[in-house]
Amino acid sequence: MDIIKCIKADHDEAAALFGELARVAHDDRRTSDAMRLAVRLAVALKIHAHAEEKIVYEVMSGATPDLAAFSREGKYEHELLDLLLDRLLVQRPGPELVAILKVARHEFEHHARVEEEGELLPALAACLDPGRGLHLAHDFLYERRRIRPAIERLVGPAVRGTHDGLRTHHHRRW
Ligand SMILES: [Fe+2]
Ligand SMILES: [Fe+2]
């Protein structure tokens, strides 16, 4: 699997989790399902954003001026999504969760589907020879595995905090 397919597979997984969470986000009888899905979504997207910045944006920053500009903007779009994911993690089902989820999903669709898949990945594919695409996929998957425990530690307390009635927001520290 080359790097383009790896990124699309992650986006598809996140899109499916957004869909599952949207089905229970309004229902206060489904709190544990909603929280479990919010954790899976936040872990998946935080891992993805980290590996993408470290491996893919890094290559783009030294490629064409357009790709370099996108890699700069993309980091801020990741920060926006990260903030929305942190809000999702501490919200029980109800109108507030529905609202946060709608904004997060919109940001994700625009960033991942319209910009990355629509513009950035085709431009990146044109710059990479097939061997380089496979090599980057290897580095991307390695980075995902490496960062997973740290992100799971970070997301876990945000959720446990809700059970204790705390509403703390956790920011990336890696
Ligand atoms: Fe991204
Ligand atoms: Fe992405």
Side-chain angles (χ1 to χ4, degrees), residues 9-149:
D10 273 6
H11 291 174
D12 289 346
E13 184 198 1
L17 287 167
F18 268 117
E20 283 188 58
L21 185 52
R23 281 193 285 279
V24 298
H26 62 281
D27 188 348
D28 62 8
R29 294 162 303 176
R30 304 287 299 275
T31 298
S32 61
D33 287 338
M35 292 180 94
R36 183 178 49 79
L37 286 165
V39 168
R40 282 177 60 198
L41 175 64
V43 167
L45 271 182
K46 284 168 186 264
I47 289 172
H48 175 77
H50 170 85
E52 202 171 63
E53 284 180 27
K54 180 138 186 184
I55 306 300
V56 183
Y57 287 8
E58 182 59 30
V59 170
M60 286 162 46
S61 67
T64 67
D66 280 354
L67 284 173
F70 185 93
S71 73
R72 268 190 210 98
E73 293 163 22
K75 277 188 290 187
Y76 293 104
E77 295 186 357
H78 285 175
E79 274 190 44
L80 270 179
L81 259 172
D82 205 53
L83 171 82
L84 292 163
L85 291 169
D86 287 343
R87 297 288 167 93
L88 272 183
L89 284 168
V90 294
Q91 193 68 54
R92 291 175 186 283
E96 218 56 41
L97 181 61
V98 171
I100 301 166
L101 185 62
K102 186 175 169 186
V103 177
R105 202 174 183 182
H106 182 266
E107 289 297 318
F108 167 77
E109 291 288 337
H110 179 75
H111 172 76
R113 300 300 204 188
V114 177
E115 293 191 330
E116 288 185 343
E117 291 184 26
E119 297 172 29
L120 158 83
L121 295 183
L124 183 67
C127 300
L128 294 177
D129 62 59
R132 183 92 169 111
L134 289 173
H135 187 76
L136 284 176
H138 176 270
D139 291 350
F140 180 80
L141 294 173
Y142 172 82
E143 192 55 33
R144 281 168 94 253
R145 280 195 301 278
R146 190 189 72 79
I147 204 68
R148 175 176 285 278

